[in-house]
Amino acid sequence: AQTVTQSQPEMSVQEAETVTLSCTYDTSESDYYLFWYKQPPSRQMILVIRQEAYKQQNATENRFSVNFQKAAKSFSLKISDSQLGDAAMYFCAYNGFNKFYFGSGTKLNVKP
Amino acid sequence: DTGVSQNPRHKITKRGQNVTFRCDPISEHNRLYWYRQTLGQGPEFLTYFQNEAQLEKSRLLSDRFSAERPKGSFSTLEIQRTEQGDSAMYLCASSLMTGGYEQYFGPGTRLTVT
């Protein structure tokens, strides 16, 4: 069965520093998509970044980048130059064929 | 485009009552998804539609749950004979069929069963 595991329930980072959030997944599919979503307190979930499994190049969106290791089934998110507005819950998500799974989330605190 | 909207935003009901939630997706999106999220957890997939067809249902979706998407536009999620364990945030999301299936989420409906 496909699962998504986020092993860090909570992390803290100093403003302007870099932080990496971990995610591993289990799947038997060869074609799928991976996402990181951000959920600020009491606000709706928004997409941060996505990765297509058949693309070897790691996705990048401004200060956000991923380290996608397909063989290891690992998909970590790196946030550079952290800002106070980055404080939120971050969810790793897997989209396969009729399969949609989310991890349990990592709460990111940003210290001024 | 105003994004995905959900109504009501909050619902308090007594155990045993039926409740219905509505989701209006982004207009050009073919796919619509329902998730349940409990405090401190990630969303759990319930079901999804492609246009008006319900393509997949989770085992979490017991016989008391039913979802519809008439004419492939808005969707409703009904819970019959609510139980206290149904208390959660119910999230709706929509996406295009292509483009990596990025999902756009609504604000959710918070259900409290007393």
Side-chain angles (χ1 to χ4, degrees):
Chain A
Q2 288 90 344
T3 59
V4 178
T5 302
Q6 293 181 247
S7 58
Q8 306 151 316
E10 188 167 358
M11 293 193 71
S12 294
V13 63
Q14 204 72 33
E15 196 176 4
E17 297 293 306
T18 296
V19 65
T20 299
L21 309 184
S22 301
C23 172
T24 58
Y25 60 95
D26 184 27
T27 184
S28 55
E29 297 178 314
S30 58
D31 192 18
Y32 50 88
Y33 295 87
L34 296 166
F35 303 84
W36 280 97
Y37 286 92
K38 171 185 177 182
Q39 189 175 42
S42 301
R43 295 179 61 187
Q44 60 205 75
M45 192 111 57
I46 57 174
L47 178 70
V48 174
I49 196 166
R50 70 166 179 142
Q51 175 77 43
E52 300 164 70
Y54 64 86
K55 286 190 176 180
Q56 293 186 338
Q57 185 174 5
N58 289 325
T60 299
E61 287 286 343
N62 301 313
R63 299 182 295 108
F64 300 88
S65 61
V66 299
N67 183 4
F68 173 50
Q69 302 289 330
K70 190 172 184 179
K73 297 178 182 175
S74 170
F75 182 60
S76 61
L77 174 70
K78 185 171 83 171
I79 306 174
S80 304
D81 186 26
S82 297
Q83 300 176 359
L84 295 177
D86 294 334
M89 284 291 290
Y90 286 81
F91 294 98
C92 177
Y94 171 101
N95 282 15
F97 181 72
N98 282 346
K99 306 295 180 193
F100 309 96
Y101 297 100
F102 282 75
S104 56
T106 296
K107 182 180 180 182
L108 179 66
N109 303 305
V110 181
K111 300 177 181 179
Chain B
D1 195 338
T2 57
V4 179
S5 61
Q6 291 186 247
N7 288 289
R9 295 291 305 278
H10 303 274
K11 179 71 177 179
I12 300 174
T13 191
K14 292 185 177 180
R15 189 174 54 189
Q17 297 294 305
N18 299 344
V19 294
T20 300
F21 309 142
R22 176 177 170 128
C23 171
D24 288 88
I26 294 172
S27 57
E28 64 267 27
H29 284 184
N30 309 93
R31 291 192 168 185
L32 186 149
Y33 312 79
W34 284 101
Y35 293 88
R36 182 173 68 187
Q37 186 178 25
T38 53
L39 197 62
Q41 298 297 315
E44 294 176 291
F45 171 75
L46 294 178
T47 187
Y48 92 100
F49 294 84
Q50 184 163 297
N51 299 314
E52 66 273 13
Q54 188 173 19
L55 295 188
E56 188 74 12
K57 290 188 343 180
S58 164
R59 287 173 296 174
L60 293 173
L61 212 66
S62 75
D63 291 345
R64 298 185 296 106
F65 288 70
S66 63
E68 295 182 343
R69 192 184 183 196
K71 301 179 182 179
S73 56
F74 70 92
S75 176
T76 58
L77 178 68
E78 181 183 18
I79 309 175
Q80 297 181 329
R81 305 180 303 281
T82 53
E83 302 172 356
Q84 286 190 323
D86 296 332
S87 295
M89 178 75 84
Y90 289 83
L91 297 173
C92 175
S94 69
S95 75
L96 293 167
M97 274 175 56
T98 58
Y101 311 103
E102 298 149 18
Q103 297 182 28
Y104 295 81
F105 283 81
T109 294
R110 181 167 296 284
L111 173 66
T112 302
V113 182
T114 61

